Amino acid sequence: MPGRAAAARLWPRPIGRRDLLAAALLMAFSARSEAAKMDERFKAGVAVSAEDIAWFRSCRSLWVDSESGAPAIFGPGLSPETIGTISAADYAAFETRLEPILCAFFLHVPFEPGTYRLASAPAGMTQVEVTADDITLLRRTSWRHFAIDGKRPYGDFTNFPIDMAQALGIPVTINAEGYAALAPDAEARMLALHEKSQFVLQAYIEHARLEPGHWFVPYDGWSLLVSPRCRPLKAAAIAAYHAAMAGIAARAAVEDPTKLVVPRLQVAAALLASD
């Protein structure tokens, strides 16, 4: 796999547009979170067609050079350079189409280690080896709509290699200043895995297998789906989610809706943590 410098020459990268992308993401998050009222857009699930899946296959994982940097999913014709310049209607159309499809993929599709050929990749790069470690980290990524959070891509630490190491069971020590630290070789490995995440995500886009059909997704889509699962949900987990959300909806009729944000986060966390 090419290093970051080589890939930057071969793969489209954002240059001078990070502020526009950040503004677009903030606008979307603010609009979707403008009130804490119950959001039940997808209560009845979503229909995903063969055409939807083909469109998802045509999306690309591109690197967003903001904060620590992380990949995001862009629809056909979109990129980090252009996403912040399109019209509000085009931006809404992209998010409206991607959201239910991406949620359905994340919650119902297994993804296994293997060698995956890439149709969309830097010149000369025809495949990527996806390891168990890559998949563990993909499942730990923190998403903000169509993008992995560039500030805290794997959890709570802005020093994200620590989150990565903990996810992979790599020893973390405390340095003389009292901060979590990694051995230099371990930190270098974490940074390399983080750079590789762009191509792991591209392999997922092109090869994760979802059949056309009607699929359960969280009622409010990706607003509370902040972490991908990348393994199928069981019926019992879906039933427990429906029951918990029904209880919250009943409370919303008599309680201040702003007090229900944490319970909704807890329900989403329980869904993602279920076996």
Side-chain angles (χ1 to χ4, degrees), residues 65-203:
D65 191 17
S66 178
E67 300 285 353
S68 299
I73 296 175
F74 292 88
L78 296 178
S79 71
E81 293 89 348
T82 63
I83 190 70
T85 64
I86 62 176
S87 69
D90 287 343
Y91 184 92
F94 162 60
E95 283 211 325
T96 298
R97 184 161 200 188
L98 179 61
E99 180 180 12
I101 300 171
L102 185 60
C103 290
F105 265 85
F106 277 164
L107 293 180
H108 298 286
V109 175
F111 196 49
E112 304 296 335
T115 300
Y116 293 94
R117 295 189 64 83
L118 299 179
S120 294
M125 182 181 179
T126 59
Q127 63 187 34
V128 61
E129 181 71 25
V130 177
T131 68
D133 284 352
D134 292 321
I135 293 172
T136 294
L137 293 173
L138 177 61
R139 290 174 177 165
R140 284 288 296 267
T141 46
S142 300
W143 286 73
R144 299 294 179 266
H145 295 206
F146 61 91
I148 294 175
D149 185 351
K151 188 171 185 177
R152 295 179 175 86
Y154 301 97
D156 296 329
F157 279 84
T158 52
N159 182 7
F160 66 89
I162 300 298
D163 276 325
M164 297 174 72
Q166 290 176 335
L168 298 177
I170 294 171
V172 176
T173 61
I174 303 299
N175 62 22
E177 289 76 33
Y179 295 106
L182 292 173
D185 58 338
E187 182 166 8
R189 180 175 173 240
M190 296 304 99
L191 293 174
L193 286 171
H194 181 55
E195 292 181 359
K196 185 183 177 186
S197 66
Q198 176 182 350
F199 308 104
V200 173
L201 180 58
Q202 185 65 41

Side-chain angles (χ1 to χ4, degrees), residues 243-269:
M245 289 298 288
I248 292 174
R251 291 173 57 187
V254 296
E255 294 184 30
D256 179 352
T258 62
K259 295 181 179 179
L260 300 178
V261 173
V262 171
R264 287 167 59 197
L265 287 170
Q266 292 171 335
V267 170

